[in-house]
Amino acid sequence: SSARVQHYNNKYIAASGGDAGSESGKESGEGGVALKKEIGLVSACGIIVGNIIGSGIFVSPKGVMENASSVGLALIVWIVTGIITAIGALCYAELGVTIPKSGGDYSYVKDIFGGLAGFLRLWIAVLVIYPTNQAVIALTFSNYVLQPLFPTCFPRRTDCAFLLTWVNCSSVRWATRVQDIFTAGKLLALALIIIMGIVQICKGEYYWLEPAHAFESFQEYDVGLIALAFLQGSFAYGGWNFLNYVTEELVDPYVNLPRAIFISIPLVTFVYVFANIAYVTAMSPQELLASNAVAVTFGEKLLGVMSWIMPISVALSTFGGVNGSLFTSSRLFFAGAREGHLPSLLAMIHVKRCTPIPALLFTCLSTLLMLCTSDMYTLINYVGFINYLFYGVTVAGQIVLRIKAPDMHRPIRISLVWPVIYLLFWAFLLIFSLYSEPIVCGLGMAIMLTGVPVYFLGVYWDNKPECFNSFVAKMTYLGQKFCVVVYPGETKGAGNGEEGEELKESQAPLSQDDGETRKSADC
């Protein structure tokens, strides 16, 4: 099938008068189009911070408070969860520079554990996780941007997704600038909350922060509930691994990937902890638990006529969240298609803009489909367990890779104590989640396992009927003409080869000297 894809790729380039090849030939000795390395350190930090800080810290930190049973334990949960997130990010940093592929944990699981495990990670992400996340965030944006101006207006759910898909299709630089701007906006909004909290403390409004009162429980402490509090906190920190999805577009990834992690995770942890401290200076635990939009309630209490700032802040946060999720999830689908686990059209990039337009359009379409459903919150509950299960599988893969390939080049090498600590934490969370919610977790497993027959029919089965292969190839060619895309020049074909060979090939795009790497100004 790779030969057929290459045939139609060459056919498209010939039909376009050779422009596709000449456009990038000046930057690549192979004459191929490639993803541009345009993501610097600031944009990398923006991707991590922008994806972690969504609507959660503004809308519903009450999940942690409700299960932690006291203010003091809730703050401990936020701090410990931030530390565990930093440990997980360190593990991903080593994997990211050892297997420098876009696609994040999908690429790592596939290369370490084989095609089926990688496909199941991709399957659950494509089917539910990312479309549902983006749909929920886009709907939250629509609700909050209209609330201050038109409280009775029914929000248009699709505008945000359409606009940001267009931006991401147009330019990687535009997409990262949008991410930078809106990340700065949400940090300023959170800074306002923290500053107001400091003012409240200076006024003596810190009753619930005093040790004598901080651990006053409003319900009995329970290990199962504490585990759920950590799980709620972990959801709020979700997105910390998204930078690994765009490794191939990072400028100097060996340096900028770990630096972005070291800057972003402590920053987010600081912001989360102090924002929650600010909340309890203005609200009692009972008031916080009664609110469905904590930041809005906080603003109404302290900002008076300027309380409209909080809904706008949530809108800014969610708009940046949709942009970051579109940017990174489209790279996951791009990576899956390049490995032969999704239609090859999704692995193609625009001949001039060097953006994965088919993958972005596919991401947008799947998000719009989710916006048509009424039970997307139930769906995300089903797959949340599986999503975090794969985090543990990926970190376990780091240990497996150390054993199987001890001499492999690792620009970053951390102590194995860290992945062990991470795995113990996640085992604690997942065991108690399975114990507390067996039906939800079981349904999540069932959704994931529907990918097994799809893998064997669509990927593992090589000798498909010629009429089917011909139809797929023609559809791919039509898609190429519609999107003006070609297969990336540096890709030598999806590999069904040996695992060790895949790991060796995965380093090829980043193993050249600086003088030989592609410039970021063009393809």
Side-chain angles (χ1 to χ4, degrees):
S1 60
S2 61
R4 187 180 295 275
V5 169
Q6 187 61 43
H7 165 73
Y8 278 95
N9 202 50
N10 294 337
K11 180 180 176 182
Y12 173 78
I13 293 174
S16 62
D19 290 342
S22 62
E23 185 68 28
S24 60
K26 59 188 176 184
E27 297 298 343
S28 173
E30 299 165 0
V33 180
L35 290 171
K36 292 196 262 185
K37 292 183 178 296
E38 289 194 338
I39 303 175
L41 179 59
V42 173
S43 294
C45 294
I47 288 172
I48 296 176
V49 175
N51 276 290
I52 294 178
I53 302 177
S55 59
I57 190 62
F58 294 106
V59 179
S60 56
K62 70 177 186 179
V64 173
M65 181 76 74
E66 185 176 18
N67 291 299
S69 304
S70 71
V71 172
L73 188 56
L75 293 176
I76 291 173
V77 167
W78 285 110
I79 294 169
V80 172
T81 307
I83 294 170
I84 295 296
T85 298
I87 292 173
L90 279 176
C91 298
Y92 269 62
E94 178 181 317
L95 287 169
V97 296
T98 304
I99 308 174
K101 289 182 177 181
S102 289
D105 39 20
Y106 156 71
S107 295
Y108 312 148
V109 170
K110 186 193 74 67
D111 282 354
I112 297 169
F113 295 109
L116 177 59
F119 180 81
L120 291 178
R121 175 69 182 109
L122 180 68
W123 175 254
I124 201 72
V126 169
L127 194 65
V128 176
I129 292 174
Y130 293 107
T132 305
N133 274 334
Q134 285 154 200
V136 171
I137 298 172
L139 184 56
T140 304
F141 167 79
S142 301
N143 287 330
Y144 275 88
V145 79
L146 288 175
Q147 186 184 33
L149 303 175
F150 307 101
T152 60
C153 181
F154 183 76
R156 292 185 60 177
R157 305 177 177 190
T158 58
D159 293 349
C160 176
F162 280 136
L163 174 60
L164 288 173
T165 300
W166 175 77
V167 169
N168 278 268
C169 287
S170 298
S171 170
V172 173
R173 185 177 287 110
W174 289 9
T176 55
R177 293 299 176 269
V178 168
Q179 192 66 25
D180 295 346
I181 291 168
F182 281 89
T183 297
K186 70 178 71 176
L187 287 176
L188 287 173
L190 285 165
L192 175 62
I193 290 174
I194 293 170
I195 289 170
M196 288 192 295
I198 293 171
V199 171
Q200 286 286 98
I201 291 173
C202 292
K203 290 179 178 179
E205 300 290 340
Y206 49 80
Y207 176 85
W208 292 105
L209 298 176
E210 295 176 352
H213 305 122
F215 291 94
E216 285 183 8
S217 62
F218 43 84
Q219 61 183 358
E220 287 189 14
Y221 289 116
D222 180 81
V223 176
L225 289 177
I226 292 172
L228 290 177
F230 276 109
L231 194 60
Q232 291 281 343
S234 299
F235 282 132
Y237 281 96
W240 54 266
N241 61 322
F242 277 17
L243 186 61
N244 291 67
Y245 290 172
V246 295
T247 304
E248 292 174 34
E249 295 168 83
L250 275 175
V251 177
D252 198 0
Y254 296 149
V255 174
N256 285 332
L257 179 61
R259 279 185 181 174
I261 289 169
F262 296 150
I263 294 170
S264 302
I265 303 299
L267 174 62
V268 171
T269 303
F270 173 85
V271 167
Y272 273 14
V273 171
F274 280 87
N276 278 276
I277 288 174
Y279 289 149
V280 296
T281 62
M283 292 179 282
S284 68
Q286 290 73 24
E287 288 176 312
L288 191 148
L289 293 174
S291 173
N292 289 321
V294 176
V296 175
T297 305
F298 180 82
E300 289 172 351
K301 278 181 165 288
L302 298 184
L303 292 176
V305 293
M306 299 296 290
S307 61
W308 55 267
I309 291 176
M310 284 298 117
I312 295 299
S313 298
V314 176
L316 287 174
S317 179
T318 51
F319 190 81
V322 174
N323 181 71
S325 186
L326 273 172
F327 186 85
T328 53
S329 61
S330 66
R331 269 56 176 183
L332 172 62
F333 302 157
F334 166 86
R338 188 174 57 182
E339 299 293 344
H341 287 174
L342 289 174
S344 59
L345 180 64
L346 297 181
M348 297 184 185
I349 60 179
H350 194 273
V351 296
K352 294 183 179 179
R353 304 182 190 279
C354 296
T355 54
I357 290 179
L360 283 161
L361 294 178
F362 175 79
T363 306
C364 179
L365 178 62
S366 60
T367 301
L368 296 178
L369 289 174
M370 280 295 174
L371 283 171
C372 297
T373 67
S374 58
D375 60 347
M376 53 188 167
Y377 293 99
T378 304
L379 286 173
I380 202 64
N381 285 336
Y382 288 159
V383 299
F385 172 81
I386 302 301
N387 195 26
Y388 284 85
L389 174 64
F390 270 105
Y391 287 165
V393 170
T394 305
V395 173
Q398 180 186 12
I399 300 174
V400 172
L401 192 59
R402 286 279 190 95
I403 297 170
K404 293 172 66 174
D407 298 326
M408 192 173 185
H409 177 60
R410 292 176 172 85
I412 298 175
R413 189 183 184 95
I414 67 171
S415 170
L416 287 181
V417 171
W418 301 117
V420 169
I421 292 174
Y422 186 88
L423 289 173
L424 289 174
F425 176 78
W426 279 113
F428 164 75
L429 282 188
L430 294 179
I431 288 171
F432 275 98
S433 298
L434 189 60
Y435 174 78
S436 302
E437 299 285 351
I439 295 176
V440 169
C441 296
L443 286 172
M445 290 286 290
I447 293 172
M448 181 190 71
L449 292 176
T450 59
V452 174
V454 176
Y455 172 79
F456 283 103
L457 289 174
V459 179
Y460 188 79
W461 182 26
D462 287 330
N463 299 320
K464 298 181 182 70
E466 181 61 28
C467 60
F468 176 81
N469 289 332
S470 178
F471 173 77
V472 170
K474 288 178 180 177
M475 290 297 100
T476 300
Y477 177 61
L478 289 176
Q480 282 187 268
K481 295 199 72 173
F482 177 75
C483 296
V484 197
V485 292
V486 292
Y487 209 75
E490 83 276 15
T491 305
K492 301 302 182 184
N496 287 325
E498 294 299 320
E499 187 174 289
E501 197 64 22
E502 286 180 343
L503 291 174
K504 182 179 177 182
E505 288 175 4
S506 72
Q507 297 186 68
L510 299 178
S511 62
Q512 302 169 348
D513 294 331
D514 290 341
E516 296 174 3
T517 53
R518 294 179 177 85
K519 299 176 184 176
S520 62
D522 290 299
C523 300

